[in-house]
Amino acid sequence: MIVLDTHVWVWWVSGVGELSPRAGELIAEAVIDRALHVSCISAWEVAMLVRRGRLVLTMGVEDWVARSEALPFLRFVPVDNRIALGAVRLPEPLHRDPADRIILSTAQTLGATLVTRDERLWDYPHVETAW
């Protein structure tokens, strides 16, 4: 079971950016196993990036997210109270980015590996990461 960091989700769905061979393998396996997850906070992050002009999609953000939601092997994980509180309780040291904390908490709550290119998260010992 894996959770995709926001940038990995965008790159994978859009076919842009460079996924590592390992990330590609993990995603392919998760698709087959129907064990591919994205935190709902990532939809918020994508919408914010589009709004700020830092990300350009080929369609409106609502349609882009809806196409991901329609994939039968991808599950969006809501930010429930367990995940929200877990994001606050993550052991330090950890940077303060709230979206990253929620994504880490999502992976930790699910017992999943977080697929990320974010080097700041690779060394975090409390959540398994892969790239």
Side-chain angles (χ1 to χ4, degrees):
M1 179 183 319
I2 62 172
V3 172
L4 301 181
D5 202 350
T6 304
H7 60 276
V8 177
W9 171 45
V10 170
W11 294 347
W12 175 67
V13 168
S14 300
V16 299
E18 295 185 24
L19 295 177
S20 71
R22 180 71 179 136
E25 290 170 13
L26 288 170
I27 293 169
E29 291 169 8
V31 165
I32 292 167
D33 295 339
R34 293 180 179 248
L36 186 61
H37 298 80
V38 172
S39 171
C40 288
I41 198 70
S42 291
W44 174 83
E45 272 195 300
V46 166
M48 291 300 293
L49 290 169
V50 168
R51 182 176 187 183
R52 292 177 181 159
R54 294 182 55 207
L55 176 64
V56 176
L57 301 173
T58 58
M59 63 189 70
V61 69
E62 293 85 359
D63 291 334
W64 191 89
V65 171
R67 286 192 180 196
S68 288
E69 289 174 322
L71 297 171
F73 45 78
L74 177 63
R75 178 175 167 246
F76 280 86
V77 182
V79 181
D80 62 15
N81 290 338
R82 184 174 174 199
I83 290 170
L85 295 173
V88 174
R89 293 185 183 127
L90 288 169
E92 300 296 337
L94 178 61
H95 66 281
R96 300 283 180 215
D97 182 292
D100 280 352
R101 293 180 76 92
I102 289 172
I103 293 166
L104 282 166
S105 181
T106 300
Q108 188 177 60
T109 299
L110 295 176
T113 299
L114 174 62
V115 179
T116 183
R117 187 175 176 185
D118 188 339
E119 294 178 16
R120 298 177 302 173
L121 302 181
W122 291 346
D123 295 327
Y124 188 66
H126 305 286
V127 175
E128 184 178 343
T129 60
W131 181 245

